[in-house]
Amino acid sequence: MDRHVCCNSISCLFHIAMAGDVIHGIRRKKLWFPCKYFSMNAASLTVIAVAMKLSVDLTTAMWGTIDTLAKLSSSGFMIIVMGNFLISFASMNNKEIFMNIVALGILVITISVNMGIQLYTWREDLFGMYILRIFNIVSMLVLFVTMISSILTIPATKRDMEKKYNELHENVCEGGKSEETENLTDEKLTEVVEKYWVMAETGSPQFVMARSVTSAMLGAICLATTIFFVTLAIAAVLSDGGLKGYDSTYRWSTVWIFMIQSIGVVVGTIAPICRWFTAINFNCNNMFNNHHKEFKLVETFWIQRLVEWKEARLPSQIRGMKCKRVIGNVKILVLKLSICIQIWIVGKRIMKVDLGSESIALETKNSSPKLDLYVLRLEGEPKLPKSILKNMCYELNQLIQMGKSRQPQNLLELLRKSNNSFKGVVDFDSNQVQYCWTLPVVTLTSIAIALPGIENHMVKRLMGSVSEGLRYASLVEESFSYKGDDLLNLKCAADVVWAGVELNGKWLDKNLRKHLLKGRTMEGTRQTLADIAEKATIEFQRNLTGGPKVLAANSMSTISQTILNDYKCSTDPHVDRDLFEKLSIMTADILGACLTNLPRVIIRKCYCSAIEERDKSVRRAARLLGEIEAIRGILKHHELPRLSGDQAAYIDEWCSYMMQKDPHSLVPSSNNEISAFGSGELHINVAK
């Protein structure tokens, strides 16, 4: 019995996952319900195999009505699961697709064969149950063939979407290059994000699959299965006097399996049906507006993969001309037959809408006409329905508003202290050594919070501000791919230091505040920090794994000497407060200079090379756009050095430029342009 309780528990997990996709789709107004929680993988296949135990059980006599309904609910649930799985294949690579479809095929054939054997041994027709068994077997096999038909198109559709995406990407870049003689305002940056958003959403592999005609076919089969099963189950239960009459050794567990999997059949049907209506809406949207049609059996992408296989050469390992000729002829014959079947499956829709220039612009009043040009469609697909593009724009606005509601208030308070010229970028260290953005920030903060004369609430406020700032600074460092061991080690050193400071208030496991209490003079403070850094350097150099920690210790040594040198002779009792304020301003200057790169980070997140990750990447960019609105408002009045390309993303470039002490080295941000791409195709400014 425990195994059957486990079966019920596993089925419940599937219900929750499918319901999660439905709720997720409704919240995002994506009524084609993308697969986020319920997707095809090795784990889900294992779970399905366990849940289908009743369907493949040939050894246990199950003659009761509820027993039979439990078997039928299992096979019906399998059909619904397959219908939900389809579009998750679109997010896989070719190897994953092959492995998963083969595993699913083995399971489908096993279940179908076992159900066929049961048909042969059980011929009594109770309330049409015999017919429903046959229907489920046929539906399962048809679903599997249809899934293969759809999956064969995935490589071709991805290449097509990729090509069109890159073409439109070039248009976005050229537009940015020609328009950025003035500032890139919030409105212009939002427009760029909108364009990439529409491209990512309409070119999403799952959405492309969901709006196909085969997806509609799966939805129709799932709906028919549900209606047939529910009708028969209600009639059988009512006529049999309730959920009684089990005759198998499974006893009461069949009732629970029947009830739970029946719920799964009903819940799981929602997504395939909605995808069916989405596909119908998408493909019939242009029916009454179309003025130009041409005859064509199927679009190229439906059979492109099969044609490639047919024309491919045989492996060189095959020896013998006669053997190679026979195998080649058989291969061509099989693939020609497969092409014919593929055409038959999708060839009912023989009229294709011409995708001329006249059909590119969508007639929607709820979105910018410029966005209509960035909708990605396959060959033969009609115009995007107005409601879908409207929902896309609505979701984007919601993400931006969500970002605005989560703006970093502590960081904003700190950035308001920064100098207009970001003077602290060069003042924190008189030595010309290499740095990343985050290492001097965590080092300065470590010194500031260790000062003995500072109240706890000031320390907590500074740590909260820096914690928020480091999150954005890390985005800058990650977006510009800090290559080379030096920069990576520096960034690692900053992460190591901040983990200890934030969690335990310790710099590399050293309680600086405790040590600094011993030396109340500023000279004593400077010497104490120098001694701690020197001992840490010696300690970690002995350890081969202490590379980042050595860098952190060297940073502490050089920065503390530079900062505290001006205060070594001070006798002012408020020197700690003055120094704390100076360190805060320097930290604000460095973070502010770093965060001027955030608009360029947004552009880089919008342009994601992996087609499967674009939706997530642009989603993060949209939230980030909302979050940095106030940051850009603060930094828009600051002066920026004239740095081209990716130079502005590196603190060393800032230091080198500003150390020249050229009176024209700093210019108002209203005239400054920061290249969003290395080649300078699009220029971003922090001005609002």
Side-chain angles (χ1 to χ4, degrees):
M1 293 298 176
D2 293 340
R3 288 180 298 171
H4 310 311
V5 173
C6 179
C7 177
N8 285 330
S9 301
I10 289 172
S11 298
C12 288
L13 292 176
F14 270 16
H15 304 348
I16 294 172
M18 289 188 290
D21 280 343
V22 171
I23 296 172
H24 176 252
I26 292 174
R27 289 184 61 185
R28 293 178 56 181
K29 294 185 178 294
K30 290 185 175 181
L31 299 184
W32 53 274
F33 298 114
C35 289
K36 181 177 182 181
Y37 306 107
F38 191 72
S39 59
M40 181 73 174
N41 51 50
S44 58
L45 276 173
T46 303
V47 171
I48 293 174
V50 176
M52 295 298 110
K53 186 180 186 304
L54 288 184
S55 296
V56 299
D57 189 355
L58 299 176
T59 60
T60 304
M62 301 181 68
W63 305 110
T65 302
I66 296 302
D67 295 329
T68 305
L69 285 174
K71 278 183 171 286
L72 292 173
S73 68
S74 294
S75 58
F77 186 58
M78 179 65 185
I79 293 172
I80 302 302
V81 165
M82 292 174 64
N84 279 270
F85 271 154
L86 175 63
I87 67 170
S88 68
F89 279 94
S91 299
M92 304 176 190
N93 58 41
N94 292 343
K95 182 179 179 181
E96 292 172 335
I97 291 173
F98 176 77
M99 298 296 292
N100 284 315
I101 197 62
V102 169
L104 180 61
I106 293 172
L107 181 60
V108 168
I109 293 173
T110 302
I111 294 174
S112 300
V113 170
N114 280 270
M115 290 179 66
I117 295 173
Q118 293 174 40
L119 278 176
Y120 181 77
T121 59
W122 188 80
R123 296 181 177 276
E124 186 177 0
D125 189 4
L126 296 174
F127 307 103
M129 292 183 184
Y130 189 80
I131 298 175
L132 182 55
R133 284 173 179 258
I134 298 176
F135 177 80
N136 284 351
I137 294 174
V138 174
S139 297
M140 202 177 303
L141 294 174
V142 171
L143 266 177
F144 184 66
V145 173
T146 305
M147 289 179 73
I148 294 177
S149 173
S150 301
I151 290 168
L152 286 172
T153 68
I154 292 176
T157 55
K158 283 185 177 180
R159 284 197 298 267
D160 194 10
M161 290 289 102
E162 192 72 22
K163 179 181 177 182
K164 293 177 179 178
Y165 177 87
N166 288 328
E167 291 174 354
L168 290 176
H169 165 64
E170 291 298 324
N171 291 337
V172 174
C173 293
E174 287 299 318
K177 183 177 180 180
S178 62
E179 293 173 3
E180 291 312 310
T181 53
E182 300 178 354
N183 301 334
L184 187 68
T185 61
D186 283 345
E187 291 74 18
K188 290 182 179 179
L189 184 57
T190 302
E191 185 178 326
V192 172
V193 175
E194 286 177 341
K195 291 175 182 178
Y196 279 107
W197 172 262
V198 172
M199 290 160 59
E201 289 289 297
T202 56
S204 167
Q206 287 201 14
F207 184 39
V208 173
M209 178 69 73
R211 67 198 193 218
S212 67
V213 292
T214 51
S215 178
M217 185 182 299
L218 263 66
I221 293 174
C222 290
L223 178 60
T225 300
T226 302
I227 293 175
F228 199 173
F229 169 74
V230 171
T231 303
L232 181 62
I234 292 174
V237 171
L238 291 178
S239 63
D240 200 40
L243 299 177
K244 299 178 181 179
Y246 44 78
D247 297 327
S248 70
T249 56
Y250 292 107
R251 299 186 64 78
W252 59 269
S253 62
T254 57
V255 177
W256 288 104
I257 292 174
F258 164 69
M259 293 177 62
I260 292 175
Q261 293 192 341
S262 297
I263 294 173
V265 169
V266 175
V267 173
T269 307
I270 298 174
I273 291 177
C274 291
R275 291 169 190 157
W276 178 20
F277 286 115
T278 297
I280 292 175
N281 184 31
F282 192 86
N283 287 277
C284 295
N285 180 66
N286 207 39
M287 182 180 297
F288 301 104
N289 298 323
N290 181 39
H291 301 291
H292 182 74
K293 297 179 180 180
E294 63 175 277
F295 180 81
K296 191 171 185 177
L297 285 176
V298 295
E299 289 78 17
T300 305
F301 63 86
W302 287 106
I303 59 174
Q304 184 173 339
R305 190 68 168 173
L306 294 171
V307 172
E308 290 174 357
W309 287 345
K310 182 174 72 71
E311 295 177 350
R313 296 179 58 186
L314 291 175
S316 58
Q317 290 84 356
I318 300 176
R319 301 298 179 88
M321 185 58 65
K322 185 175 181 180
C323 180
K324 185 175 289 189
R325 186 180 298 113
V326 171
I327 295 175
N329 290 335
V330 171
K331 184 197 77 168
I332 292 174
L333 180 62
V334 171
L335 288 172
K336 280 185 177 180
L337 179 62
S338 301
I339 291 172
C340 292
I341 294 174
Q342 180 80 325
I343 292 174
W344 178 81
I345 291 174
V346 299
K348 297 177 182 181
R349 185 173 53 89
I350 63 173
M351 301 302 292
K352 100 170 177 66
V353 180
D354 181 32
L355 291 180
S357 58
E358 296 179 358
S359 66
I360 292 180
L362 301 180
E363 299 174 2
T364 175
K365 299 179 180 179
N366 299 296
S367 62
S368 170
K370 293 181 181 179
L371 294 181
D372 305 338
L373 301 175
Y374 295 87
V375 173
L376 300 183
R377 291 175 290 162
L378 291 171
E379 174 193 2
E381 283 190 328
K383 295 188 296 185
L384 193 71
K386 301 175 183 179
S387 59
I388 293 180
L389 189 58
K390 176 184 177 183
N391 289 338
M392 286 181 185
C393 296
Y394 173 80
E395 184 182 4
L396 176 62
N397 290 331
Q398 289 293 102
L399 287 171
I400 295 175
Q401 292 302 321
M402 184 186 302
K404 290 181 179 180
S405 67
R406 299 177 180 177
Q407 295 187 68
Q409 299 302 325
N410 294 323
L411 175 60
L412 295 176
E413 181 181 348
L414 178 64
L415 291 179
R416 292 187 182 98
K417 297 181 179 181
S418 62
N419 288 298
N420 288 344
S421 60
F422 299 111
K423 189 172 178 288
V425 173
V426 292
D427 285 348
F428 77 92
D429 187 3
S430 59
N431 302 300
Q432 285 294 305
V433 295
Q434 190 177 35
Y435 282 102
C436 65
W437 288 107
T438 51
L439 184 55
V441 169
V442 298
T443 303
L444 290 169
T445 306
S446 299
I447 298 172
I449 64 177
L451 294 175
I454 305 302
E455 293 84 353
N456 288 334
H457 71 89
M458 298 177 64
V459 170
K460 290 180 180 179
R461 187 185 306 138
L462 177 62
M463 288 187 63
S465 302
V466 172
S467 181
E468 292 176 349
L470 288 176
R471 181 166 70 89
Y472 296 105
S474 295
L475 286 177
V476 174
E477 294 176 340
E478 292 167 5
S479 297
F480 289 91
S481 302
Y482 274 31
K483 298 178 181 179
D485 293 338
D486 292 340
L487 285 174
L488 288 176
N489 287 336
L490 288 167
K491 188 178 185 304
C492 181
D495 294 338
V496 170
V497 171
W498 187 247
V501 172
E502 188 175 33
L503 296 178
N504 303 313
K506 294 182 179 181
W507 176 87
L508 297 183
D509 296 328
K510 304 285 191 306
N511 192 327
L512 296 184
R513 180 177 284 257
K514 178 180 178 181
H515 284 286
L516 294 186
L517 284 173
K518 299 177 182 178
R520 290 300 298 160
T521 66
M522 195 51 60
E523 177 60 24
T525 297
R526 188 181 69 83
Q527 189 60 46
T528 300
L529 290 175
D531 292 343
I532 292 174
E534 183 179 357
K535 291 178 181 179
T537 302
I538 296 173
E539 176 185 349
F540 294 128
Q541 279 178 339
R542 294 172 181 171
N543 186 352
L544 296 178
T545 61
K549 294 183 178 180
V550 172
L551 293 174
N554 289 334
S555 173
M556 173 61 75
S557 178
T558 57
I559 291 178
S560 61
Q561 289 182 23
T562 301
I563 299 299
L564 301 178
N565 191 54
D566 294 337
Y567 292 85
K568 62 182 180 180
C569 298
S570 176
T571 57
D572 188 348
H574 303 293
V575 66
D576 284 346
R577 277 182 169 272
D578 294 341
L579 180 55
F580 183 86
E581 186 66 18
K582 179 178 180 178
L583 292 169
S584 298
I585 293 173
M586 284 186 177
T587 303
D589 286 349
I590 297 172
L591 283 175
C594 176
L595 300 189
T596 58
N597 292 284
L598 283 177
R600 302 164 67 224
V601 171
I602 290 176
I603 300 298
R604 284 177 174 253
K605 284 192 173 295
C606 285
Y607 180 63
C608 178
S609 58
I611 188 172
E612 295 85 3
E613 299 296 325
R614 280 176 192 155
D615 177 67
K616 296 178 183 178
S617 186
V618 180
R619 183 174 299 275
R620 289 192 289 267
R623 284 199 296 264
L624 183 59
L625 177 64
E627 289 180 26
I628 69 169
E629 181 183 53
I631 294 177
R632 297 184 71 208
I634 292 173
L635 299 179
K636 69 178 181 178
H637 301 297
H638 287 53
E639 299 172 340
L640 302 176
R642 294 185 181 275
L643 295 172
S644 60
D646 288 348
Q647 288 181 322
Y650 300 90
I651 189 173
D652 291 338
E653 297 289 346
W654 280 68
C655 291
S656 298
Y657 192 93
M658 296 172 72
M659 287 292 287
Q660 295 174 4
K661 297 182 178 180
D662 185 344
H664 301 292
S665 62
L666 297 178
V667 296
S669 61
S670 60
N671 297 323
N672 185 73
E673 295 177 349
I674 303 178
S675 173
F677 299 92
S679 57
E681 290 125 337
L682 185 62
H683 298 279
I684 306 295
N685 196 340
V686 295
K688 190 172 179 180

